[in-house]
Amino acid sequence: MNEQFPSVLLERAVSEFAKLPGIGRKTAMRLVLHLLRQDLGAVEAFAGAVTTLKREAKFCRVCHNISDTETCRICADPRRDASTVCVVENIRDVMAVEATQQYHGLYHVLGGVISPIDGIGPGDLQIESLVQRVKSGGVSEVILALSTTMEGDSTNFYIYRKLAPTGVRLSVIARGIAVGDELEYADEVTLGRSIVNRTPFQGNL
Ligand SMILES: [Zn+2]
């Protein structure tokens, strides 16, 4: 597609939006025209939120969740059970589990799953920091709550092998969630039940 833009400014804005996941050129154009119709203040607030997010958002030094502070709100909450750590892929999974209101422990955000096809190895994920976290004491149970995909399964197994020597209790969320499902798409009741009914991890895949 080779659109003729009457304005380089317009073309540049559309190109930036079209770089976003799931946004095609048509949608990008619609969004840009929408912004152009807004007050300057509203557009500045939009641009400001994006740049401030990038500039100031941190990763929690304990769980690696996205946070406004060095230690995230969940890790800093004294009412949470710090002896239980739920391992998830990303912040969307943290939000999905939080929405169930069935889990009161802490999290460990891996940043994805092991996927050789995508060039993601264990070293690209927060696995070593999980092992260190368990070794430093205070954690009695680690709950694996990764996607029920082949990549999720092999990541579970890798973590199991790394954590087995520590003697920490390792469990996996109940597979009420269908194979291939991602956590963030499970409904809250199902996901909540999967966490409550977690089972000991069987290391013999
Ligand atoms: Zn945290």
Side-chain angles (χ1 to χ4, degrees):
M1 193 169 14
N2 200 359
E3 306 116 313
Q4 292 299 311
F5 280 91
S7 153
V8 175
L9 296 175
L10 179 67
E11 181 174 13
R12 205 161 69 191
V14 169
S15 298
E16 289 304 321
F17 273 90
K19 287 178 189 168
L20 298 171
I23 306 287
R25 304 282 301 181
K26 255 187 193 162
T27 306
M29 181 64 137
R30 194 158 52 82
L31 293 172
V32 167
L33 292 179
H34 170 80
L35 284 175
L36 207 47
R37 285 194 300 270
Q38 307 303 305
D39 297 340
L40 180 59
V43 179
E44 281 175 343
F46 173 83
V50 177
T51 42
T52 307
L53 169 75
K54 182 59 191 172
R55 201 175 292 136
E56 294 179 16
K58 299 172 179 66
F59 291 95
C60 171
R61 63 192 171 86
V62 182
C63 73
H64 310 287
N65 197 7
I66 298 168
S67 169
D68 295 348
T69 45
E70 296 292 323
T71 305
C72 78
R73 229 182 305 178
I74 296 172
C75 289
D77 186 346
R79 291 164 303 180
R80 309 281 307 210
D81 168 18
S83 71
T84 308
V85 172
C86 180
V87 178
V88 294
E89 287 168 43
N90 56 49
I91 188 169
R92 288 171 300 185
D93 295 339
V94 172
M95 291 168 74
V97 174
E98 284 297 285
T100 69
Q101 300 186 317
Q102 298 291 311
Y103 179 69
H104 309 289
L106 303 183
Y107 294 91
H108 196 88
V109 182
L110 289 186
V113 283
I114 298 170
S115 175
I117 240 171
D118 301 309
I120 303 170
D124 301 310
L125 306 170
Q126 292 293 346
I127 294 179
E128 191 48 40
S129 65
L130 171 66
V131 176
Q132 291 311 318
R133 195 173 166 186
V134 171
K135 278 184 178 166
S136 66
V139 177
S140 60
E141 182 181 6
V142 170
I143 305 168
L144 300 169
L146 305 179
S147 302
T148 50
T149 55
M150 213 168 70
E151 290 80 9
D153 284 345
S154 49
T155 308
N156 280 343
F157 191 67
Y158 184 87
I159 292 173
Y160 157 75
R161 280 198 326 202
K162 284 281 183 184
L163 288 182
T166 69
V168 73
R169 188 159 78 242
L170 203 59
S171 51
V172 65
I173 60 169
R175 298 299 176 98
I177 299 175
V179 171
D181 276 357
E182 291 184 32
L183 275 197
E184 58 177 308
Y185 299 120
D187 70 78
E188 286 157 23
V189 177
T190 309
L191 182 55
R193 217 182 284 136
S194 313
I195 290 167
V196 171
N197 299 329
R198 58 188 183 265
T199 53
F201 182 77
Q202 306 291 333
N204 46 1
L205 283 182

